[in-house]
Amino acid sequence: SHCLTRNGMADEGFLHVAAAAIGTTEPALRVLVLLLSGVPLSAIYNIAIAHHKSVLQHVFFFLSGLSLSYFGFGLGCFHLVATIVASYLILLVAGFLNQRAIGAAAVSLFTMGYLIWGYIENATESYDVDWTTPHCVLVMRLTGFAIDYYDGVAEAAAPAKPSKGKPTPAIKTLPNLLEILGYCFCFCGVTVGPQYSFNTYNALASGTLVKSTSGRFTTALSRLLLGLLYIVVLAVLGGQVPFEYVYEEKFLADPLWYRIAYIFVAGKLNLMKYIGVWLVNDASCVFSGMGYSGETTDGKTVASWDGVSNVRPYVYETSITLKGVISAFNINTNQWIMHYVFKRLRFLNNKHLSMIGSMFYLAIWHGYYVGYFLTFALEFLTLMVENALVDRFSLPQSPALYYPTVVGAWLVRNMVLSYSMITFVGKDLQRSLAGQAAVYYFVPVLAAVVLAVLTNFVRKPKRDADKAKKTE
C-alpha cells in the first residue's frame, strides 16, 4: 500500500488486514469499496437529492465524489481538483478571446502532461493504484469536455439531433466551475469511468434525462451481482495462476505447451478484473439514472439502461473476433477514442494512420512504458490480420466444419488477448521481451507471417464487387 502512504494515508488498519487476508493489495480493495459505495450513494441521491434544484445536485456530486477520492487516494485527490480548476480557467480565457480551438488543444496537452508527470512520480514495476488512476479518467473527461466546448460553435449554427435518449455532447456556453466539479467528481464515474458527456450529466442533474424508471432496480442489481461474481472468481483462482509467474526464470523450465496454456489462462483471469469492476460500477450508473438510454418498444415500452455500460459480458465472452471484443469491452473508452481522436484525424486521409494515432494516444494515456506501446502495436497487427481473413474467407456452412472453426476462432482470439497481457502487465521493455521470448514471440510472428501470405498470395473473392454492382 505504498501509494496510499505516499499520499499521506496510513497503511495499517482494517482494510490493510482484510486485503492481506484475501490475497490482494489495500489500494485495490479500496477501489472496490469506492465502487460499491456508489450503490448507497445512488439510493441517497434518488431519495433525498434528485428532486431538488440542480445546484444542490452539483454540490452533492462534487462533495460525495471528492470524499470518495480522498478515502481512496488521500491527499492525491487534490491533484484532480487542481487539474479541473486550471482547465476551467484555460477554457474561460479561450472563450473570452474567442479561441475555443486553442483552448481545447491547451486543455488536452495540459491534462495529459499532468498525468504523465504523475506516472513518472509514482512509477513502480507493478500496476499502480494511486491518484493517477482517477486522473487518467479525468484526462479523457476534461479533454472531451474541452472539445465539446469547441464543437459548440458549430452546434449553435446547425443543431444536431439527440441519439439513444441522450443529448448531443456539444457545449454552446461554458458551464460554471461548480457544474464542472460536479461533472468530474460524480461518483458514477470518478474512479474508473465510464466516460459520458457533460450534457448527459447535466440532463441528469436538471431532471430531464430519465423518462422512465422501469427495470432500473433489477438491471442495477443484476449487474452488481454479476460483477461481484467475476471478482470472486478472480479472487479464488487468480492467486493460483498469477500472471507474474510468466516473468520468472523457473517459468522457462516448464514445457512449451504448458507455458502457452498458462499464459492463456492467466491472461483470461487478468482481464476478468476489468469486467468485474466495470459491472459493479455500472450498477451505480444505472441506479442513479446516468445509465438511462431511452426506451425500446418490443411489444411493450421498456426503459433501456445501457447508456454508459462499459462491457457487455455475453458478447465479450462469446465473440470469435477481435472486433467483436472491441465492441463489448471498454466500450466507452473505445467510443471516446473514435469520437475525439480517430475522427479528428480524418485530415490524414488514411484510416490506418488514424488508427495508429488513436492507439498511440491510448498507449501514452495508459503510461509511458514501452509495454503499453507494444500492446497496442500488437492489437493493430492482429486487427489487420483479422480484416484480411474476413475479406478473403467466410465461415463454412457445413456443421462438421462450422463448429470446429468457431471454437478455433474463439481460442485464437482469447490467445491473442491473453498474450497481449505479457506486454501490458510487464510494462517495461525487459519484462515485455522476456515474457514473449518464453513462448518464442509466437503470436506476433504468426500474425506477421499470415498477413504476409494473405496479402501477397491470396486474392480477395469477387463476390463483394459483384454484390456492390447489383446493389447499385
Side-chain angles (χ1 to χ4, degrees):
S1 58
H2 59 279
C3 62
L4 295 178
T5 303
R6 254 199 322 268
N7 287 331
M9 298 179 65
D11 63 354
E12 297 293 342
F14 173 75
L15 286 179
H16 181 77
V17 175
I22 62 177
T24 187
T25 63
E26 184 183 348
L29 185 57
R30 281 184 181 273
V31 169
L32 180 58
V33 172
L34 293 181
L35 300 180
L36 290 171
S37 298
V39 176
L41 282 173
S42 296
I44 294 171
Y45 171 71
N46 286 319
I47 295 170
I49 307 295
H51 303 296
H52 290 278
K53 291 182 178 180
S54 58
V55 64
L56 179 61
Q57 299 191 42
H58 296 312
V59 171
F60 173 76
F61 285 128
F62 169 47
L63 293 181
S64 60
L66 181 63
S67 300
L68 289 178
S69 298
Y70 180 76
F71 170 79
F73 312 105
L75 296 177
C77 68
F78 290 102
H79 288 289
L80 309 183
V81 177
T83 303
I84 296 166
V85 172
S87 298
Y88 169 74
L89 293 175
I90 290 172
L91 293 178
L92 187 66
V93 173
F96 178 76
L97 298 175
N98 199 27
Q99 297 292 334
R100 292 193 184 191
I102 294 176
V107 168
S108 302
L109 293 173
F110 166 69
T111 54
M112 183 62 81
Y114 201 126
L115 177 64
I116 294 173
W117 171 78
Y119 284 149
I120 294 171
E121 285 293 303
N122 298 306
T124 64
E125 287 188 0
S126 60
Y127 186 80
D128 303 319
V129 180
D130 50 37
W131 66 264
T132 61
T133 301
H135 202 280
C136 70
V137 176
L138 183 65
V139 167
M140 283 192 174
R141 185 151 298 153
L142 286 173
T143 298
F145 177 85
I147 294 175
D148 288 340
Y149 182 54
Y150 162 72
D151 289 344
V153 176
E155 174 75 8
K161 293 182 179 179
S163 62
K164 294 184 178 181
K166 295 187 291 185
T168 56
I171 301 170
K172 297 176 185 177
T173 58
L174 186 66
N176 62 49
L177 182 57
L178 175 61
E179 292 172 325
I180 298 173
L181 286 168
Y183 167 57
C184 293
F185 274 101
C186 177
F187 60 81
C188 297
V190 66
T191 307
V192 297
Q195 297 299 331
Y196 40 78
S197 72
F198 172 81
N199 288 344
T200 296
Y201 160 80
N202 201 42
L204 177 67
S206 61
T208 60
L209 178 64
V210 179
K211 304 295 193 300
S212 170
T213 59
S214 64
R216 180 170 66 177
F217 179 78
T218 54
T219 302
L221 181 61
S222 63
R223 291 178 187 174
L224 175 63
L225 294 177
L226 184 57
L228 290 174
L229 177 61
Y230 268 94
I231 291 171
V232 168
V233 171
L234 176 62
V236 172
L237 299 180
Q240 306 299 317
V241 194
F243 203 90
E244 287 295 322
Y245 180 59
V246 172
Y247 309 106
E248 297 180 11
E249 286 189 14
K250 57 185 178 181
F251 184 62
L252 297 173
D254 295 321
L256 179 60
W257 70 265
Y258 180 86
R259 280 175 269 163
I260 293 174
Y262 188 96
I263 289 172
F264 183 97
V265 175
K268 182 76 174 172
L269 287 170
N270 194 69
L271 287 164
M272 288 180 70
K273 66 184 176 186
Y274 300 104
I275 300 173
V277 162
W278 289 332
L279 284 169
V280 169
N281 191 68
D282 196 32
S284 63
C285 291
V286 171
F287 199 21
S288 67
M290 186 70 78
Y292 181 80
S293 58
E295 296 178 330
T296 58
T297 302
D298 185 15
K300 61 178 182 178
T301 301
V302 180
S304 180
W305 297 101
D306 59 355
V308 295
S309 295
N310 219 15
V311 63
R312 294 198 293 269
Y314 180 79
V315 176
Y316 168 78
E317 298 291 359
T318 60
S319 177
I320 63 173
T321 65
L322 293 173
K323 277 191 173 181
V325 170
I326 291 172
S327 72
F329 184 86
N330 210 0
I331 298 169
N332 281 277
T333 300
N334 293 332
Q335 291 176 343
W336 190 98
I337 287 292
M338 176 63 69
H339 181 73
Y340 293 105
V341 181
F342 184 84
K343 290 183 178 180
R344 309 285 165 164
L345 296 176
R346 65 181 59 158
F347 65 88
L348 297 174
N349 292 320
N350 187 300
K351 287 187 176 181
H352 286 159
L353 290 179
S354 296
M355 186 181 294
I356 291 172
S358 300
M359 291 185 175
F360 178 85
Y361 183 94
L362 275 174
I364 196 69
W365 178 67
H366 279 92
Y368 58 87
Y369 286 100
V370 174
Y372 295 134
F373 293 90
L374 293 175
T375 300
F376 290 103
L378 179 63
E379 180 183 350
F380 179 75
L381 173 62
T382 50
L383 279 172
M384 287 187 66
V385 174
E386 182 176 281
N387 289 336
L389 286 168
V390 171
D391 286 344
R392 289 162 175 80
F393 303 101
S394 56
L395 289 173
Q397 300 298 313
S398 168
L401 296 175
Y402 174 83
Y403 292 106
T405 302
V406 167
V407 172
W410 184 85
L411 290 171
V412 168
R413 78 87 172 159
N414 273 284
M415 188 71 250
V416 169
L417 291 178
S418 293
Y419 184 96
S420 70
M421 290 295 99
I422 296 176
T423 51
F424 192 83
V425 176
K427 294 172 66 172
D428 64 43
L429 183 60
Q430 182 179 355
R431 279 159 54 92
S432 296
L433 294 181
Q436 292 184 92
V439 287
Y440 304 103
Y441 301 87
F442 80 99
V443 168
V445 168
L446 285 176
V449 170
V450 171
L451 183 62
V453 170
L454 290 174
T455 54
N456 290 288
F457 301 105
V458 182
R459 292 183 178 181
K460 296 180 183 180
K462 295 182 179 181
R463 62 178 183 271
D464 293 332
D466 295 337
K467 286 181 180 179
K469 289 181 180 178
K470 289 180 181 178
T471 304
E472 292 175 359

